[in-house]
Amino acid sequence: MKNNQIIGIDVSKSVLDVFILSLNYHFTTQNNPLGFAKLLEVCCSRLSSKPFDLYLCFENTGRYSRLLAVFCQENQIPFSMVNALDVKQSKGLARGKSDKKDAKTLALYAQRKQNELNPTKLHAPIVGKLRLLLQLRDKLIKHRTAYKNAISDLQDCFVQGETDYIRQTNEKLIRLMDVEISGTEKEIENIIASMPDWQVNYKLIQSVKGIGPVLAKYLIIYTENFTRFTDPRKFACFAGIAPFEYSSGSSVKGRTRLHPCANKHLKSLLNIAAMSAIQLKGEYKQYYQRRIAEGKNKMSSLNIIRNKIVSRVFAVVKRQTPYVD
């Protein structure tokens, strides 16, 4: 990256604001294939360079930035999709905001971080499909919960028989949600079963106490069959269960705490797994009860169990043998 020309790009729904750092030059183009062609044409002509000599830096804005990322990967243009919060916190005190400033900020961010940034590699299309299916499952469960809550609310404020039609409609929708959730889970399992190495690890990680089919799906998809994350500590950071020290000098010695920046849904699933594991006979239950008897905090003890589960999941995948308590 040191010899590449750094280009900062602020991505919006329909427009790209582009800033060429070495020339201090800004221009705009459309967020579509024609706009991407113009982006390459302007940058290469003004810098007298080839597309692979550029280095594009833009924020990960979901579907708005995905089209540009796919274009860059297909044309072998080095790029980094960076975390918006990291960019925001790195720029220090700032007055005012505009798309042009944001594009320049991204270019300066890439210049400062050039020894740390790694080119982004998009995951395989099958992984993208699996993630979309997980998102669909989450939405269906939220809708089903809403319909169940609606039925519960009807019991509090109305006389019997007054809301039969509403109740029947909600029950019908709940049954429909059950069918769709089951179908979505089956589709995910079929895709995993079509990839032998994924299927092997999917079965292995369920041998760990507390890991059921739902959490196993999330673990294997978010780790991309344990290729995106190979270190349990890094995955624990991603899930928001890794404790960090908070201290300063000799006077401030804070307790280790969890950072709020995390995948909250994955964290909640690991929490359910830990609560389930301590109910079962074995080392988790013994360890948890011993800490509680010593007067240790219940939540910190539960978080240790969550980290133990993650460590054992990575261990069984590495050894390719089922977990033995």
Side-chain angles (χ1 to χ4, degrees), residues 295-307:
K296 302 293 179 63
N297 183 275
K298 289 185 179 180
M299 284 308 299
S300 67
S301 300
L302 196 63
N303 190 62
I304 292 173
I305 301 297
R306 290 188 292 197
N307 280 276

Side-chain angles (χ1 to χ4, degrees), residues 137-152:
R137 179 186 177 277
D138 292 341
K139 288 180 182 178
L140 291 171
I141 288 175
K142 286 181 180 178
H143 287 309
R144 184 179 66 180
T145 302
Y147 293 131
K148 287 182 177 180
N149 291 339
I151 291 177
S152 298

Side-chain angles (χ1 to χ4, degrees), residues 27-263:
F27 68 95
T28 60
T29 185
Q30 296 299 306
N31 188 4
N32 56 39
L34 290 177
F36 304 154
K38 178 185 174 183
L39 185 155
L40 286 185
E41 181 184 354
V42 173
C43 291
C44 291
S45 62
R46 286 186 171 270
L47 293 168
S48 301
S49 60
K50 302 294 183 182
F52 52 79
D53 293 325
L54 307 177
Y55 196 95
L56 277 54
C57 180
F58 50 93
E59 293 177 352
N60 186 351
T61 55
R63 64 189 183 92
Y64 294 160
S65 60
R66 179 165 176 78
L67 193 60
L68 176 58
V70 171
F71 174 83
C72 291
Q73 183 157 294
E74 289 178 348
N75 291 276
Q76 299 182 341
I77 303 169
F79 72 100
S80 284
M81 278 201 302
V82 295
N83 185 281
L85 180 60
D86 190 29
V87 176
K88 181 180 179 180
Q89 293 183 341
S90 71
K91 66 182 181 180
L93 181 63
R95 293 179 175 86
K97 184 186 185 303
S98 68
D99 293 338
K100 179 180 178 180
K101 281 186 176 181
D102 290 342
K104 184 176 181 179
T105 297
L106 284 160
L108 292 171
Y109 172 86
Q111 184 185 47
R112 289 194 302 271
K113 298 272 189 176
Q114 58 184 338
N115 294 327
E116 303 172 25
L117 280 180
N118 293 317
T120 299
K121 292 183 180 179
L122 297 178
H123 49 66
I126 194 69
V127 177
K129 182 179 179 180
L130 285 168
R131 287 197 174 194
L132 288 174
L133 286 169
L134 282 182
Q135 292 173 12
L136 175 61
R137 179 186 177 277
D138 292 341
K139 288 180 182 178
L140 291 171
I141 288 175
K142 286 181 180 178
H143 287 309
R144 184 179 66 180
T145 302
Y147 293 131
K148 287 182 177 180
N149 291 339
I151 291 177
S152 298
D153 293 340
L154 294 176
Q155 297 174 353
D156 302 331
C157 309
F158 300 93
V159 298
Q160 187 174 4
E162 187 178 359
T163 57
D164 285 349
Y165 176 78
I166 299 174
R167 182 187 304 277
Q168 291 168 6
T169 302
N170 282 320
E171 289 173 347
K172 188 186 302 182
L173 290 170
I174 289 170
R175 290 193 295 271
L176 177 61
M177 293 294 107
D178 288 335
V179 172
E180 295 301 329
I181 290 168
S182 178
T184 303
E185 291 177 343
K186 188 66 177 177
E187 178 67 14
I188 294 172
E189 290 175 356
N190 289 339
I191 293 173
I192 293 174
S194 68
M195 299 179 286
D197 53 338
W198 283 59
Q199 178 69 2
V200 169
N201 289 337
Y202 176 66
K203 295 296 183 183
L204 279 174
I205 61 180
Q206 291 186 63
S207 66
V208 179
K209 280 188 177 180
I211 304 291
V214 173
L215 180 54
K217 291 183 181 71
Y218 277 84
L219 290 173
I220 200 163
I221 292 171
Y222 275 97
T223 61
E224 298 179 21
N225 196 26
F226 299 89
T227 57
R228 181 184 174 197
F229 295 96
T230 56
D231 181 2
R233 170 71 182 184
K234 290 182 179 179
F235 182 76
C237 292
F238 172 74
I241 62 172
F244 290 91
E245 179 185 4
Y246 285 82
S247 63
S248 179
S250 58
S251 58
V252 180
K253 296 292 182 183
R255 294 186 303 173
T256 57
R257 288 181 289 174
L258 305 181
H259 197 278
C261 185
N263 186 312

